Amino acid sequence: MKNPGKYLGNELKYVEMVLNSENWSSTSGGWNKELESRFSKKFNTRYGVALNSGTSTLHAALEAAGVGPGDEVITPALTVMMDTTSVFHANAIPVYVDIDPDTFNVDVSDIAKKITPRTKAILVVALYGLPCDMDPIMELANKHDLVVIEDNAQCYLSKYKGRMTGSIGHMASYSFENTKHLSCGEGGIVITNNEKYAESVRKTGGHGFKNLKADEGRVRLNQDVFQDPDYKRHDVLGWNYRLPEINAAVALAQLERIEELIQLRIDSANIFLDVMKDYDFFIPQHIPDECTHSYYTLAVKYEGMEAIGVSWKELRDAYTRAGGDGFYGAWSVPYMEPMMINRAYVKRYPEIYSDLYYEEGLCPVAEEVQKKIMQFKTNYRSLDLAREKATIFRSVIEKLVSESDA
């Protein structure tokens, strides 16, 4: 059985409308504006700014937060590398905090320990679709006058104490990369209730055009003004992080089906969880009562080596040989990646980074949990296919358990 295609809504129709309009740039078209308006409304915020990736959104949010050379940004020790590199893009210093061994999200008590006079922002990650414990994080931020940025690249429509993730921190960053709940190949968006932050994000991502506003990303609305030789265009330093209109059109069509797409992931995760509940060596990511989970992927800690003498890699090999989809390991903790070990970041800003070192053992819980995590895919567009793969997985586990008992 084959997984159905991802783009089953209005994607093709909207792309054809973009091509026929010849307004293919976000500087003059309206698809970005429509996407931003509908997305921010869906996530209970006032402003949305679409950009070309979930990494540029992080960088632009850090710039909007006033993060600059030598500032410190607190970031989790279990997450993608881009949460680190975006901090370096802002010429700031990543400060890693350990994780809760059950939720895999940041340990709030460790955040409190890592705050210094140089701390400017807290970058929290809703890992795999599970919100962080936001109330105490916001209390710390308010106490120390820090900006909280939610990295919700993997977390769509999840709720924390009845509130929508993305509407709790000062800003939130989402990714539209190909594997995400909502995808258009590449892209992302920042949402916020703060007009100043939204305008700054837009200018950072739009070459610093002075006429960009919190709720308006088009710069060529008045051609008489824009084409005047005396017109001055740029009032801040910016990058080119703009989202093409074609991508915005695809993302908008995906947004129209976002509840359906998320429910498919939740249902797929539950199909595999139903298999795992019979084996205590699979320990699912703990979901606190006050949270809902949107399951970008299903993450579990695997203790099977101790329980049945089967290693992580042996189980994956057996599953794929039997026709399963396999599963994925968690990313290395960022500070153990080769770029960090060989200190490639130093050449970006030697005056700041020459004395900056990271070593193994910095966040021991994250380092230990990372080795055990299994990530099971949830992006099945057919639940029958998910059931087929889960059935294969069950048969593999039963066989391995039986062999271990023999």
Side-chain angles (χ1 to χ4, degrees), residues 11 23 26 65 69 85 130 150 153 169 171 211 224 263 278 333 388:
E11 290 87 354
N23 287 324
S26 59
T85 54
L130 178 67
E150 299 179 57
M171 288 175 275
N211 60 338
D224 290 336
Q263 191 60 51
D278 296 327
V333 292
E388 175 185 306

Side-chain angles (χ1 to χ4, degrees), residues 39-46 163-164 167 191 193:
F39 193 99
S40 56
K41 183 178 180 180
K42 176 75 70 176
F43 287 79
N44 297 331
T45 53
R46 291 179 62 193
R163 290 171 285 166
M164 186 73 72
S167 66
I191 58 174
N193 285 310

Side-chain angles (χ1 to χ4, degrees), residues 54-229:
T55 304
S56 56
T57 52
L58 291 171
H59 176 207
L62 290 167
E63 295 282 347
V67 173
D71 290 336
E72 294 178 350
V73 176
I74 288 174
T75 182
L78 184 61
T79 184
V80 295
M81 189 64 182
M82 287 66 83
D83 290 297
T84 291
T85 54
S86 62
V87 176
F88 284 129
H89 293 340
N91 299 316
I93 298 171
V95 175
Y96 296 98
V97 293
D98 217 335
I99 64 166
D100 179 282
D102 300 319
T103 66
F104 312 158
N105 278 333
V106 290
D107 179 348
V108 179
S109 65
D110 201 32
I111 294 178
K113 295 174 186 176
K114 300 291 176 66
I115 294 173
T116 76
R118 298 171 66 185
T119 307
K120 192 77 172 185
I122 303 174
L123 180 56
V124 296
V125 179
L127 201 65
Y128 304 129
L130 178 67
C132 298
D133 191 4
M134 292 300 297
D135 280 352
I137 292 172
M138 296 307 296
E139 288 173 10
L140 282 172
N142 292 332
K143 178 180 178 181
H144 297 279
D145 193 25
L146 306 176
V147 178
V148 174
I149 301 167
E150 299 179 57
D151 179 355
N152 290 343
Q154 302 178 354
C155 185
Y156 279 73
L157 299 185
S158 295
K159 291 188 177 180
Y160 170 81
K161 296 184 177 179
R163 290 171 285 166
M164 186 73 72
T165 50
S167 66
I168 303 170
H170 299 99
M171 288 175 275
S173 165
Y174 290 82
S175 171
F176 301 154
E177 181 269 336
N178 189 53
T179 66
K180 301 303 189 290
H181 295 80
L182 186 161
S183 62
C184 61
E186 294 287 355
I189 194 169
V190 175
I191 58 174
T192 181
N193 285 310
N194 185 296
E195 183 178 5
K196 184 183 78 169
Y197 290 153
E199 182 172 315
S200 176
V201 167
R202 196 178 295 283
K203 287 188 173 186
T204 295
H207 286 301
F209 277 106
K210 70 177 185 181
N211 60 338
L212 292 173
K213 302 298 181 186
D215 58 356
E216 181 55 76
R218 293 170 292 182
V219 298
R220 295 191 174 100
L221 290 177
N222 189 330
Q223 296 292 346
D224 290 336
V225 172
F226 193 80
Q227 294 177 1
D228 190 311

Side-chain angles (χ1 to χ4, degrees), residues 322-381:
D325 280 330
F327 42 80
Y328 308 88
W331 330 267
S332 168
V333 292
Y335 55 82
M336 294 305 296
E337 289 284 356
M339 187 277 282
M340 300 294 285
I341 294 173
N342 65 30
R343 304 181 68 235
Y345 53 82
V346 174
K347 66 180 180 182
R348 173 159 181 88
Y349 209 138
E351 295 88 344
I352 294 174
Y353 301 132
S354 59
D355 295 325
L356 183 64
Y357 294 85
Y358 299 95
E359 296 179 351
E360 187 173 0
L362 181 62
C363 295
V365 178
E367 292 174 23
E368 180 63 23
V369 169
Q370 181 269 335
K371 301 170 186 175
K372 297 181 177 182
I373 286 179
M374 290 178 168
Q375 299 180 62
F376 289 79
K377 66 179 290 183
T378 57
N379 61 336
Y380 293 103
R381 270 84 67 184

Side-chain angles (χ1 to χ4, degrees), residues 281-300:
F281 45 87
F282 294 110
I283 306 173
Q285 184 180 20
H286 173 66
I287 306 173
D289 291 340
E290 65 267 21
C291 296
T292 63
H293 201 309
S294 56
Y295 286 109
Y296 167 70
T297 188
L298 168 62
V300 301

